[in-house]
Amino acid sequence: MFQKAELLDERCMLEILKRIQRCVLILKLLVDQVMILETMTPLDFMEFRHYLSPASGFQSLQFRLIENKLGVKQENRSRYNQAHYTKVFSDQGSSEQLRQSEVDPSLCDLVQQWLERTPGLEESGFNFWEKYQRVVEEMLENQESKAMQETNDGIRKTKLNDIQKRRELFGSVFDKKTHDALVQRGERRFSHRSLRGAILITFYRDEPRFNQPHQLLASLMDMDALITKWRYNHVLLVQRMIGSQQLGTGGSSGYHYLRSTLSDRYKIFLDLFNLSTFLVPKPYLPPLTKEMKCRLSLIEAVNDVSNDTSDIA
């Protein structure tokens, strides 16, 4: 649905949200199923483990396709026996599917394109970003002023250092070049404009037009978190069944390879998790202009429908 048009019909948002939430429920079920496997003892597992060799979960084509379609970057993957992950798929059909999934826009790519069109990011009109930078500077200056009033030298120094670190963090999101450099290093995922859109939606989530987009962003984090939980549960299960020194049935390092997949490199919507770093208290929130208030209400949508109807008539 994100791919259908340059401008997403907001009437599709409910269906998009419903499908993402269905994926969340499926992932919850997968996470819970690990508890059933945990009732098995290592001795029970040893009785049939030899039947699994040389098969491995790493050979799951479906799981790799899901990862690619969600947006796992190839450069962020842990190598499997020092080889590219596609090496275990020898048949041409599977290899072609994987190559195509790497080329096609991922869910992460499409979400970014959607966020880049968030109303209010335009420099003309409301210009949220300029207002946001001003209130952040005001907030930090107020905090700095209060810190200077601290009589204890050690506490004052600690507070000032903390404020300086926060100023640098905000600077990394205000300055596009710094942000792009963090993306290149793999510390961020979203484009600069799409991250701005996510921040804007988060701040004004109570406005009617941003209700469902905010729920969508929360559901994307739920999905990412559940995949990480499943990976973590899998790692613990493997350590419990075969320890941390035995090789996996497919020849991988087993526990150590799986543990490497728990890092933030495998988080797809990492920037959404880190949005709280850039939030400001409500009293500092830039007030919406009358025009922007109208854009984020249902009035504009109703007017658009009325105009479409009159054009047809």
Side-chain angles (χ1 to χ4, degrees):
M1 288 186 181
F2 281 114
Q3 289 179 296
K4 282 185 179 178
E6 183 180 348
L7 295 176
L8 178 68
D9 187 341
E10 292 187 34
R11 288 171 293 186
C12 296
M13 280 303 301
L14 184 60
E15 183 63 27
I16 292 171
L17 186 58
K18 185 176 72 175
R19 293 185 185 186
I20 293 293
Q21 289 177 341
R22 181 187 299 164
C23 292
V24 169
L25 288 175
I26 292 170
L27 288 167
K28 283 182 178 178
L29 182 62
L30 290 175
V31 170
D32 289 342
Q33 284 179 338
V34 176
M35 292 188 294
I36 307 300
L37 294 174
E38 287 173 343
T39 63
M40 179 171 52
T41 68
L43 286 174
D44 293 335
F45 181 58
M46 285 181 65
E47 289 185 12
F48 65 87
R49 187 182 183 227
H50 61 281
Y51 290 113
L52 303 177
S53 184
S56 169
F58 196 89
Q59 298 163 355
S60 171
L61 173 64
Q62 187 181 49
F63 190 66
R64 299 302 165 212
L65 289 173
I66 289 172
E67 286 182 326
N68 289 346
K69 287 181 181 295
L70 288 175
V72 173
K73 298 291 185 183
Q74 307 316 311
E75 59 269 22
N76 292 337
R77 288 184 178 278
S78 298
R79 297 182 73 80
Y80 180 77
N81 293 337
Q82 303 305 313
H84 194 268
Y85 80 103
T86 56
K87 292 295 183 182
V88 299
F89 301 100
S90 55
D91 62 293
Q92 187 174 353
S94 297
S95 298
E96 182 56 36
Q97 283 187 70
L98 287 169
R99 279 195 294 270
Q100 189 60 45
S101 68
E102 291 177 4
V103 173
D104 291 341
S106 67
L107 177 61
C108 185
D109 294 330
L110 297 172
V111 167
Q112 288 181 68
Q113 293 172 20
W114 167 68
L115 285 170
E116 288 175 356
R117 303 193 295 267
T118 304
L121 290 181
E122 308 87 355
E123 292 185 6
S124 58
F126 181 56
N127 195 357
F128 163 74
W129 203 240
E130 182 182 320
K131 290 180 170 66
Y132 175 52
Q133 292 184 61
R134 286 204 302 263
V135 298
V136 166
E137 188 56 39
E138 179 188 348
M139 178 189 70
L140 294 175
E141 286 178 358
N142 288 342
Q143 292 176 353
E144 201 168 48
S145 178
K146 289 180 180 178
M148 291 299 294
Q149 296 172 12
E150 176 60 54
T151 55
N152 185 294
D153 290 343
I155 295 176
R156 182 174 63 251
K157 185 177 180 181
T158 300
K159 286 184 175 180
L160 290 173
N161 285 340
D162 181 62
I163 292 167
Q164 180 57 33
K165 288 177 182 177
R166 292 198 68 195
R167 182 173 271 114
E168 290 172 3
L169 275 172
F170 278 109
S172 72
V173 78
F174 291 147
D175 183 65
K176 186 177 183 300
K177 289 183 179 179
T178 304
H179 173 82
D180 290 344
L182 291 171
V183 172
Q184 287 296 319
R185 295 209 300 263
E187 295 179 32
R188 288 187 187 161
R189 303 282 187 270
F190 281 9
S191 68
H192 189 244
R193 189 173 178 85
S194 62
L195 182 59
R196 288 162 59 183
I199 292 173
L200 175 57
I201 289 171
T202 302
F203 275 139
Y204 301 102
R205 61 192 180 279
D206 293 331
E207 299 301 319
R209 195 168 179 180
F210 282 167
N211 285 170
Q212 289 180 341
H214 179 258
Q215 290 179 56
L216 175 60
L217 297 183
S219 294
L220 291 171
M221 283 192 286
D222 289 341
M223 191 162 59
D224 216 350
L226 285 164
I227 292 173
T228 302
K229 285 180 181 178
W230 184 87
R231 292 184 193 275
Y232 180 69
N233 288 347
H234 186 201
V235 169
L236 291 181
L237 182 65
V238 166
Q239 187 178 33
R240 182 174 180 170
M241 293 299 157
I242 67 172
S244 56
Q245 301 304 319
Q246 286 197 59
L247 295 178
T249 50
S252 74
S253 57
Y255 166 79
H256 294 287
Y257 165 74
L258 293 172
R259 191 177 64 175
S260 70
T261 66
L262 297 177
S263 70
D264 281 350
R265 292 183 304 165
Y266 277 80
K267 273 207 182 86
I268 301 144
F269 299 102
L270 178 64
D271 294 329
L272 296 182
F273 285 93
N274 291 331
L275 277 186
S276 55
T277 308
F278 309 111
L279 299 184
V280 298
K282 276 194 173 183
Y284 287 99
L285 202 61
L288 296 172
T289 60
K290 186 177 180 180
E291 179 187 1
M292 191 61 189
K293 191 80 174 174
C294 179
R295 289 187 70 188
L296 298 184
S297 71
L298 300 177
I299 298 172
E300 187 180 55
V302 170
N303 288 339
D304 288 343
V305 172
S306 299
N307 291 335
D308 291 343
T309 306
S310 61
D311 290 342
I312 293 172

